[in-house]
Amino acid sequence: MDILLDDIPYNKSLYPFAVLKSLVHIRVGILTIYEKWQTAFPGKIILSSQLTGNETESTDYLKIPGNLIPSKLLFERIKSGNYNPLVTDDCKVLRRPWEIFQFNDWAIREDFELVTHGRDSEEISPGNKIVSFENIFVEPGAEINFSILNASTGPIYIGKNAAILEGCMIRGPFALGEGSKLKMGTKIYGATTLGPYCLGGGEIKNSILMGYSNKSHDGYLGDSVLGEWCNIGGGTSNSNLKNNAGVIRVWSYEENDFIEAGERCGLLMGNYSRCAINTSFNTGTVAGISCNIFGNSFPSKYIEDFTWGSDIYILEKAINDINNWKKLKGFEITQDEIDSLKILYELKQQQ
């Protein structure tokens, strides 16, 4: 039986993520939600957003909410025919964007078992200092040089062809995606994930870079989530805790207002957005899609899609700049990406 992930109803509540792509492509843990399901049920995953109304009513599908982050126990229940949609105690249900970093510790541990089960890790050079080697898994082609990896606080996963340069200090849980790199002297506190082809540097704590994004220089990123193809300028830092230790309010696209998000929340940055050197972000800042953030003062706590400093990012220039950034990693912007950006830009113009 195929599994139908119902990804339609949840996108607005997860802004600035799940805007240009389905929410199941959100990375939390080592894998995206979609990759988790594909790993457990290869070739059997279908998205409701890709089907017509009649097709979604088919009885041949096991329908599961797309914002359900699955667990090992859930997979076992489904495979044994004991799935109960009312039982989600061992899973996580993603309803708000800040929950992505809140769930990351749990998700890394779940994914670590999923992707490493029955497999052997590559060797780690003796020039490194290792604590709890049994909780570390290194994929083929990865390179680790003269660094400290402490997995006593949670598992550490190093992806294929990833690199950890000299002098890095890492405390798990931590995941470094395929082709990603930590620059020299990087300090990582769990639970942190760098998706594929990211650059990490400076100090990063309890944060997620979903893929192809850079936070490669000194500065602090904490309790934050960056989408794909983002770039953080050197010296940039964010606040993740108010000076009075009070509750942080974060912009909600769904409510069109600021709502409470708990005591810790840093930067939530949508795909294709960037900031200048030495930018300082306040607690609970939301940056939308395709923003170029610069100026002489603190950025607003809500930065709208297609913002250029204090002006509007012209669509043609935004597309050209995105393509330039993608070329730096050997990619080019696709027509699907351009079409999605055009639709979003037109919606902004109508508001």
Side-chain angles (χ1 to χ4, degrees), residues 229-233 269-276 279 281 287-288 290-294 303 307-308 313 317-318 320-323 325:
W229 300 106
C230 296
N231 190 72
I232 300 297
M269 177 179 279
N271 289 8
Y272 310 118
S273 287
R274 305 174 293 279
C275 68
T279 303
F281 289 103
S290 188
C291 298
N292 193 346
I293 302 163
F294 59 91
I303 304 165
T307 291
W308 171 274
Y313 210 157
K317 180 170 177 52
N320 182 72
D321 292 349
I322 290 168
N323 196 40
W325 277 99

Side-chain angles (χ1 to χ4, degrees), residues 2-250:
D2 290 336
I3 295 174
L4 179 66
L5 297 182
D6 186 10
D7 60 334
I8 293 176
Y10 311 100
N11 291 18
K12 286 186 177 180
S13 65
L14 292 167
Y15 180 88
F17 313 108
V19 176
L20 299 173
K21 292 184 177 181
S22 164
L23 69 94
V24 299
H25 298 299
I26 288 175
R27 187 175 306 277
V28 53
I30 300 172
L31 307 172
T32 67
I33 297 174
Y34 183 76
E35 288 169 345
K36 300 174 199 294
W37 287 101
Q38 281 285 26
T39 300
F41 300 94
K44 294 184 175 295
I45 307 304
I46 301 169
L47 304 184
S48 61
S49 58
Q50 299 173 339
L51 303 179
T52 65
N54 292 334
E55 289 176 313
T56 60
E57 300 301 322
S58 170
T59 56
D60 294 333
Y61 300 134
L62 175 60
K63 191 174 181 179
I64 293 176
N67 67 332
L68 183 68
I69 305 175
S71 65
K72 178 183 176 181
L73 289 177
L74 175 63
F75 290 147
E76 291 175 351
R77 292 205 306 269
I78 292 174
K79 290 177 179 178
S80 65
N82 294 322
Y83 172 65
N84 183 341
L86 301 179
V87 180
T88 59
D89 292 346
D90 58 332
C91 302
K92 301 292 183 184
V93 181
L94 187 61
R95 297 186 176 92
R96 296 294 184 182
W98 49 86
E99 291 176 335
I100 299 171
F101 67 76
Q102 290 176 348
F103 294 161
N104 203 40
D105 185 304
W106 172 87
I108 289 176
R109 297 172 193 271
E110 287 285 333
D111 286 352
F112 189 83
E113 290 192 37
L114 181 66
V115 301
T116 67
H117 180 72
R119 302 174 61 213
D120 293 326
S121 170
E122 296 292 308
E123 296 293 327
I124 300 177
S125 167
N128 296 283
K129 173 64 177 179
I130 304 299
V131 180
S132 299
F133 179 83
E134 68 278 8
N135 292 333
I136 299 175
F137 192 93
V138 180
E139 296 282 5
E143 180 181 350
I144 308 171
N145 291 316
F146 303 105
S147 292
I148 300 171
L149 282 70
N150 181 357
S152 66
T153 52
I156 294 175
Y157 173 84
I158 310 301
K160 182 180 178 181
N161 298 326
I164 299 175
L165 302 188
E166 296 86 346
C168 293
M169 296 180 287
I170 300 168
R171 289 178 62 89
F174 174 61
L176 186 65
E178 179 179 350
S180 288
K181 179 185 293 185
L182 294 185
K183 297 179 72 175
M184 290 191 299
T186 303
K187 294 174 285 188
I188 298 288
Y189 295 86
T192 289
T193 296
L194 274 66
Y197 301 98
C198 291
L199 283 175
E203 182 179 355
I204 306 174
K205 172 247 178 188
N206 193 32
S207 295
I208 298 170
L209 283 66
M210 291 195 187
Y212 311 96
S213 291
N214 305 325
K215 191 279 175 195
S216 54
H217 301 289
D218 285 343
Y220 175 72
L221 185 73
D223 298 295
S224 296
V225 183
L226 307 185
E228 295 185 344
W229 300 106
C230 296
N231 190 72
I232 300 297
T236 294
S237 291
N238 74 269
S239 169
N240 61 336
L241 180 68
K242 294 179 69 173
N243 284 345
N244 61 5
V247 174
I248 299 166
R249 295 175 62 82
V250 175

